[in-house]
Amino acid sequence: SQADSLAFPVFGLTWCGTPSSPKRDGCSVIAYCGGGGSAKTGVGNKIVVTVTADADDDSAGIGGGDGGGDGGSGSGDGGGGAQQATFTSRQIEISTGEALCFGVYAFRPYNDPLKMARLLACVGDEILLYGIPLIPAADSPDEPTTDPNNDAGGDDGDNNASDGKKKEEEAILLAKTNVGKGYGANVSTYSPLHRNGKMLHSIAVGCENGTVVIYNLNQIGEQSFEFTKIAECHGHTKAICAVNFHPRGHQLLSSAKDGTARIFDIQSGIELGVLKCEVHDPKGPPPVEQPKAATMKTKDPRMMKRPPQILVRGCAYGDLEGKLIYTVASGKRGAAYLTKWRTLVPLNKVGSPGAGGTGGPPTSSSSPGAVPTQTPQKLSFNQQYRIQCSPVPISAISLSADGTLLTLGSVEGSVLLYNLETQSVMKQFTEVHDLPVTCVASRPIPNLLMLPGELEGGVNFDAVSASADNRLGRWTLQKKSRIKKQRPPSSSRKQSAIERYLWELLRIPLLLLLLLTIIAIRDTVDICREEFGLSALVMDASRAGHCLYREVLWAEDGRVSFVPE
């Protein structure tokens, strides 16, 4: 795990990616947005996109550049320039001018001819769609690739600056629209949908006033698109915190600060069901009901105790059929609770005429020859469990792509990796942020698959978090890197000819000297054992030296005797 320092506070974060494959089409896109303020005095209002992609054959010799904060080196084994690069990593900055971007969402359309990732940005009352090239374009100093339409937030001067900064010129503004005056775009999401043999691209935007606006994205040119409004979904009374499409794309799930999560039909915007969340232990006593204002003795609003506000910070579908729904709710203080819901199959199917008054009769279409549409049927839900997932309020959540790991960011600055199968916290990074966590993003692909750069880096990150403390963290469940640290190589200096000659000359005498030393030690133990005793050394150490010299190492002439003839 690691934490990087940033130049501005972060309020929105997204992570999308496709695994590396032999086709070399894998990519990993991490984007975050924020800045110093939503006014003329705002400093550094921008979106930063980090793109890591598999290097193709043409750009294989380019890689190995700086990772731009994404932990990649671009080299297959971290070596020098002689090694062929396996991935490229770079940063792209998009200035939002005086407006502050609160939410971003990155995705990559299937079989996209533009070879670009898409980025939805919520800037004020506008929703903007950017194209992010996955492969860096060749440098052309004579013809700068500026985008004249890149006027996000009304600040053209930053994006068209002539200071040689190319990273602000790579993002291409494909489309933009105004969701409504005073709506305030907060969050967005995307879903592909096959209908009548055509691929539709649906986009939903959750707003500050509680409205969810649904669009279809249509391509009108080679690099230009337009938003076509389909419906507005009403029901929430406070700001939207999260929006998610049904896995099959025909419904939309949203959660807000009004204590509810709601499901809408994307074609008509009709509300299909309401999930009312609670923040008390189901095994404990029920919360005390607050007296109504009409029954209270005083009418002074300062003396009236308001009911606690419940904030449903996140919601997500938990299976591919869209039958399981997870919500995380908490108050402004106290514990946060994770609730699992199951959608009950209605007795009368959606669209059947005469559905007991709930389905409704078919409605005629305005276009001639069109198939009559049916009023969608209301849904009902069963709460399977509600369990405490954090002792403090949760400020951000994100569900992993495989639906098993839930990333939670708390108001204390901690990040929790929660296992939905075991209903327990697998790993907690305590107070890694100095301020409440504003946004988190879970891994976009299963952990068994690898994103570009992870094989070389040795670590698969499971979540990313950010906060207003100017810090971006990457967190993993791994205990250690897969790459073993190599020991520094030993000296491999070759011996000179003189050194080899001296070694060949002296090695036999050295071996003889070692043998004589061993024999002398043996004779000393046998002959001078008494002189080398502890008491003898204390009384007279000279006797031990005399014995060693006269009896072991050197013999006098009188002691030498020869055998007579």
Side-chain angles (χ1 to χ4, degrees):
S1 302
Q2 65 183 45
D4 301 326
S5 298
L6 305 177
F8 57 89
V10 179
F11 303 111
L13 176 67
T14 182
W15 187 10
C16 80
T18 54
S20 298
S21 66
K23 296 181 179 180
R24 309 195 66 80
D25 59 351
C27 71
S28 174
V29 179
I30 298 178
Y32 53 91
C33 62
S38 181
K40 292 185 178 181
T41 57
V43 178
N45 295 337
K46 65 178 66 176
I47 305 169
V48 179
V49 186
T50 302
V51 182
T52 306
D54 287 330
D56 55 11
D57 296 336
D58 296 334
S59 61
I62 303 175
D66 143 345
D70 199 24
S73 65
S75 175
D77 58 353
Q83 299 294 334
Q84 188 179 26
T86 60
F87 67 95
T88 60
S89 183
R90 69 194 195 282
Q91 274 193 352
I92 301 172
E93 292 186 3
I94 306 170
S95 174
T96 59
E98 297 177 2
L100 189 63
C101 181
F102 282 99
V104 286
Y105 184 84
F107 62 95
R108 186 180 181 185
Y110 175 74
N111 199 17
D112 178 34
L114 297 180
K115 304 296 182 182
M116 293 182 180
R118 306 290 197 273
L119 181 69
L120 292 170
C122 300
V123 182
D125 292 337
E126 291 184 333
I127 179 74
L128 300 98
L129 176 68
Y130 288 96
I132 309 297
L134 299 178
I135 303 299
D139 295 336
S140 57
D142 298 335
E143 297 181 1
T145 57
T146 56
D147 180 18
N149 296 325
N150 195 352
D151 55 352
D155 189 1
D156 293 339
D158 292 342
N159 286 343
N160 298 330
S162 59
D163 56 355
K165 292 184 179 179
K166 184 186 174 185
K167 54 187 176 182
E168 290 187 351
E169 301 170 356
E170 293 188 0
I172 301 173
L173 181 62
L174 302 177
K176 70 175 182 178
T177 188
N178 194 300
V179 295
K181 186 176 181 180
Y183 277 36
N186 275 350
V187 290
S188 59
T189 187
Y190 161 84
S191 175
L193 176 63
H194 281 278
R195 178 169 294 175
N196 298 329
K198 296 182 179 180
M199 171 67 80
L200 302 179
H201 302 276
S202 301
I203 290 175
V205 183
C207 302
E208 184 71 19
N209 65 351
T211 304
V212 180
V213 187
I214 302 175
Y215 297 92
N216 274 346
L217 187 63
N218 303 315
Q219 186 169 1
I220 58 177
E222 183 179 356
Q223 291 187 357
S224 60
F225 295 78
E226 67 174 357
F227 291 95
T228 303
K229 182 183 288 189
I230 301 300
E232 284 194 7
C233 306
H234 300 278
H236 289 291
T237 58
K238 293 186 179 181
I240 305 295
C241 296
V243 286
N244 283 283
F245 277 103
H246 190 280
R248 297 182 181 178
H250 63 284
Q251 295 175 0
L252 180 74
L253 173 66
S254 64
S255 64
K257 296 181 180 180
D258 59 0
T260 65
R262 299 172 188 264
I263 297 180
F264 300 95
D265 179 71
I266 66 169
Q267 293 298 319
S268 61
I270 296 176
E271 182 181 284
L272 304 180
V274 180
L275 307 173
K276 188 176 181 181
C277 300
E278 299 175 335
V279 291
H280 64 88
D281 189 357
K283 298 180 181 179
V288 179
E289 295 185 1
Q290 300 295 331
K292 298 181 180 180
T295 61
M296 295 185 67
K297 296 182 180 179
T298 178
K299 301 298 181 181
D300 189 354
R302 296 174 297 178
M303 302 298 295
M304 296 181 183
K305 187 176 181 180
R306 297 180 181 179
Q309 182 181 1
I310 298 177
L311 312 176
V312 187
R313 290 293 188 179
C315 58
Y317 284 99
D319 62 340
L320 295 178
E321 296 182 354
K323 294 183 178 180
L324 297 180
I325 298 175
Y326 293 99
T327 59
V328 176
S330 60
K332 292 186 177 181
R333 59 179 61 88
Y337 288 86
L338 168 68
T339 308
K340 181 179 180 181
W341 310 81
R342 176 173 288 275
T343 304
L344 301 180
V345 179
L347 296 178
N348 297 310
K349 295 183 179 179
V350 176
S352 60
T358 57
T363 59
S364 60
S365 176
S366 58
S367 60
V371 179
T373 58
Q374 307 292 335
T375 303
Q377 197 171 24
K378 298 292 183 179
L379 302 177
S380 57
F381 308 93
N382 176 34
Q383 185 182 119
Q384 292 196 334
Y385 66 76
R386 183 171 71 253
I387 188 172
Q388 178 178 324
C389 58
S390 171
V392 297
I394 292 297
S395 55
I397 80 160
S398 177
L399 182 64
S400 62
D402 54 5
T404 59
L405 190 67
L406 192 66
T407 305
L408 306 174
S410 72
V411 297
E412 291 184 348
S414 302
V415 177
L416 296 80
L417 301 181
Y418 190 90
N419 191 324
L420 293 174
E421 296 179 352
T422 61
Q423 301 178 17
S424 61
V425 177
M426 297 185 65
K427 199 168 185 179
Q428 179 173 348
F429 304 92
T430 305
E431 297 183 6
V432 291
H433 291 283
D434 298 332
L435 297 174
V437 179
T438 55
C439 46
V440 294
S442 294
R443 185 177 179 82
I445 63 174
N447 214 323
L448 296 177
L449 303 176
M450 291 191 182
L451 293 167
E454 289 184 340
L455 180 62
E456 295 80 3
V459 177
N460 290 9
F461 291 107
D462 295 284
V464 183
S465 67
S467 175
D469 64 349
N470 298 19
R471 193 175 299 169
L472 178 75
R474 296 173 176 86
W475 317 109
T476 179
L477 293 172
Q478 288 183 219
K479 295 183 179 179
K480 59 181 180 180
S481 174
R482 293 185 300 270
I483 298 178
K484 296 182 179 179
K485 294 183 179 180
Q486 297 181 355
R487 296 181 179 178
S490 58
S491 176
S492 58
R493 186 179 63 88
K494 294 183 179 181
Q495 294 180 345
S496 63
I498 297 178
E499 291 174 340
R500 291 195 301 269
Y501 173 75
L502 291 176
W503 170 247
E504 294 292 338
L505 183 65
L506 297 177
R507 65 177 180 176
I508 294 178
L510 290 176
L511 291 176
L512 292 176
L513 180 61
L514 177 62
L515 179 61
L516 291 176
T517 303
I518 295 174
I519 294 174
I521 294 174
R522 184 197 63 183
D523 292 344
T524 302
V525 173
D526 294 340
I527 300 174
C528 304
R529 182 187 301 273
E530 295 181 359
E531 286 77 359
F532 277 88
L534 180 61
S535 58
L537 290 174
V538 173
M539 297 297 296
D540 189 2
S542 61
R543 292 182 56 192
H546 180 78
C547 180
L548 177 63
Y549 177 74
R550 292 295 182 183
E551 302 293 336
V552 177
L553 298 180
W554 187 261
E556 297 179 356
D557 295 341
R559 296 180 54 196
V560 179
S561 60
F562 296 94
V563 178
E565 297 180 358

